[in-house]
Amino acid sequence: MTRKQLIILLVLVAVLGVAGLVLLRREAASWKAADTAAGRKLLPDFPVNDVAHLLIRQGTNELNLVKQDDLWRVRQRGGYPADYAKISEALIKISELKIVQTEQVGPSQLGRLELLPPGPGSNTATLVEFRDKNDKVISGLLLGKKQMRNASGRSAMEDFGEPGWPVGRFVAVAGTTGTVAVLSDTLANLEPKPEQWLNKNFFKVEKPRMVSVTYAEATNSWTLSRETETGEWKLADARADEKLDNAKATSATGGLGWPSFLDVLPADTPLARVGLDQPTVATIKTFDDFTYTLKIGAKTNDSYHLTVTVTADIPKERSPGKDEKPEDKERLDKEFKDRVAKLEDKLAQEKKLGGWIYRVSTWTFDSLLKKRVELLAEKKDEPKPAGAGQAQNTGQPDAQKN
């Protein structure tokens, strides 16, 4: 090797060394910046208590949860009460979100991360916006693609679409550009589905003493009653050939202890559209003197639509027992007062259910909507008398014999 070649080689080594040092410093600076971002809150000083309007928009679907008169309501369901616990949980979670890492992303990469501006197009973000009582925007998030991991522990994108499970999400703070955060939470519950945000508290029938179902065809109608809370059910106006199957009666009357609903419609919904123009009517009376009137439409796929009206005759005064002792009066009066307060609170809550049309699952009400014949015990075949069906010997000559 000549001296000239050696000099050129040394110069090249020096250049490469300097370039490597520059890249190393840049990479170190990048990691340092990432380390600085990691662990920080996504929305520092997020004012949870100031939020009075939560908007979620995905494509053409939009959800508005609005606080009115200190009560959260679902605007897309005519102002029906929302699930406060779920909203509160969501807001607290947002305030505590921490960044796992950040990435600098150019406009051309937003589609890949499903963070294009919200709208009806493809690869667009889900907008989650927080507003105050004056409907002024406090802050907002753009929710993008969920980060997936597969069995190998690598990103599903790195394995060319190999199936995986969600472990995080790409998110951008609304109003910012260039920086995308990766979270360890998928925020899967933040969807514009009104039915998922409803307050699902429903009526609860306790200690029924009378249940009747009235059909358009009278022969299908029935009424059951019992004398005590644990007594057997009796079928009203039972004919001699009708015997009630008590297991079927218990099933028909027991499903209303914990009913639930799937969705709610405004009261001005056309009744014929949900089968309530000619409803089946169920009436339930309890030992606490509550009366529930349910108007139920025809079955549609896996659900019914119904309305519910609740009334009650709650006693205002206690009648002393025949042999009541004076020393027991104070205790009994307090027990009576507590019971009345509990019943009045139950009535107040359940009366609010009036004025709405509920969509309920069939499994809750199928057992109640039995026809009269379906509540009866199956008739056993009576044993035939001995020799039945055989020709009797009358002593007369067989007409077929010659």
Side-chain angles (χ1 to χ4, degrees):
M1 178 182 296
T2 65
R3 182 172 179 170
K4 183 177 180 181
Q5 291 174 327
L6 179 61
I7 293 173
I8 293 173
L9 181 61
L10 291 175
V11 170
L12 288 175
V13 170
V15 170
L16 290 173
V18 172
L21 181 61
V22 171
L23 290 175
L24 182 63
R25 287 180 175 177
R26 286 182 179 178
E27 186 175 353
S30 176
W31 277 104
K32 184 176 180 180
D35 289 342
T36 301
R40 288 195 295 106
K41 286 189 175 182
L42 181 65
L43 296 176
D45 303 319
F46 180 68
V48 173
N49 296 326
D50 292 344
V51 179
H53 182 177
L54 174 59
L55 179 148
I56 304 176
R57 183 184 299 134
Q58 184 181 54
T60 57
N61 298 319
E62 182 172 306
L63 170 72
N64 289 273
L65 305 173
V66 184
K67 195 174 184 180
Q68 298 176 346
D69 301 324
D70 294 324
L71 183 67
W72 282 93
R73 298 182 179 276
V74 183
R75 182 177 292 173
Q76 277 72 18
R77 288 298 181 266
Y80 194 86
D83 187 337
Y84 168 75
K86 186 171 183 178
I87 295 173
S88 177
E89 180 183 355
L91 293 177
I92 292 174
K93 176 184 284 189
I94 292 295
S95 72
E96 296 176 348
L97 287 175
K98 292 184 178 180
I99 299 170
V100 174
Q101 68 181 70
T102 58
E103 296 183 12
Q104 297 303 309
V105 176
S108 63
Q109 295 178 292
L110 293 178
R112 176 177 63 87
L113 300 178
E114 298 179 8
L115 282 171
L116 290 174
S122 59
N123 297 328
T124 57
T126 296
L127 172 66
V128 181
E129 198 169 73
F130 312 97
R131 302 181 181 183
D132 63 17
K133 63 181 180 180
N134 297 317
D135 219 30
K136 181 181 178 181
V137 177
I138 298 173
S139 185
L141 296 176
L142 298 176
L143 309 185
K145 187 181 184 67
K146 293 178 182 177
Q147 192 179 42
M148 310 295 287
R149 292 288 178 190
N150 51 39
S152 65
R154 290 179 292 178
S155 166
M157 287 193 299
E158 294 173 351
D159 279 356
F160 306 102
E162 178 184 329
W165 57 89
V167 296
R169 196 160 190 174
F170 295 96
V171 177
V173 176
T176 64
T177 57
T179 301
V180 172
V182 179
L183 307 179
S184 60
D185 195 313
T186 62
L187 302 176
N189 292 331
L190 294 178
E191 295 183 302
K193 297 181 179 180
E195 67 277 10
Q196 294 184 0
W197 295 87
L198 298 171
N199 183 340
K200 293 297 182 70
N201 290 337
F202 211 22
F203 68 91
K204 178 183 177 182
V205 176
E206 299 176 292
K207 300 180 290 187
R209 64 176 177 85
M210 189 280 291
V211 180
S212 71
V213 176
T214 305
Y215 288 92
E217 189 173 341
T219 56
N220 293 326
S221 303
W222 51 267
T223 297
L224 301 178
S225 62
R226 58 182 177 179
E227 297 296 326
T228 64
E229 294 178 22
T230 58
E232 287 193 352
W233 291 99
K234 305 296 182 183
L235 178 63
D237 302 322
R239 301 190 302 269
D241 61 338
E242 292 181 321
K243 183 180 180 181
L244 181 67
D245 186 317
N246 210 58
K248 295 178 181 178
T250 301
S251 174
T253 58
L256 299 178
W258 297 98
S260 61
F261 67 92
L262 304 172
D263 205 350
V264 65
L265 287 73
D268 59 358
T269 301
L271 298 182
R273 197 179 88 189
V274 291
L276 283 169
D277 50 334
Q278 295 181 324
T280 297
V281 181
T283 304
I284 306 100
K285 295 185 177 182
T286 75
F287 284 99
D288 288 327
D289 292 320
F290 272 63
T291 300
Y292 297 84
T293 304
L294 310 179
K295 294 183 178 181
I296 307 170
K299 182 186 293 189
T300 303
N301 297 325
D302 60 348
S303 63
Y304 297 100
H305 287 89
L306 67 82
T307 62
V308 55
T309 303
V310 186
T311 61
D313 184 13
I314 302 174
K316 300 299 181 183
E317 297 182 358
R318 184 180 71 86
S319 300
K322 182 179 179 181
D323 300 321
E324 184 177 309
K325 297 179 181 179
E327 57 267 28
D328 293 332
K329 183 178 185 305
E330 183 177 354
R331 175 179 59 82
L332 293 173
D333 284 347
K334 183 179 183 306
E335 290 176 355
F336 174 80
K337 184 177 180 181
D338 291 344
R339 177 175 173 273
V340 167
K342 183 179 178 180
L343 293 176
E344 288 179 340
D345 181 65
K346 175 181 171 67
L347 176 62
Q349 295 301 317
E350 293 185 340
K351 286 185 72 171
K352 294 177 182 178
L353 300 173
W356 301 89
I357 297 174
Y358 298 89
R359 186 168 69 87
V360 298
S361 61
T362 55
W363 67 264
T364 304
F365 291 88
D366 273 348
S367 57
L368 174 69
L369 297 176
K370 298 288 188 184
K371 296 179 180 179
R372 185 184 184 95
V373 68
E374 295 175 315
L375 294 175
L376 303 179
E378 295 181 6
K379 296 180 180 179
K380 296 181 179 179
D381 293 334
E382 297 182 1
K384 296 180 180 180
Q390 299 179 0
Q392 296 182 357
N393 185 0
T394 60
Q396 300 295 326
D398 193 335
Q400 299 299 323
K401 293 181 180 180
N402 294 326

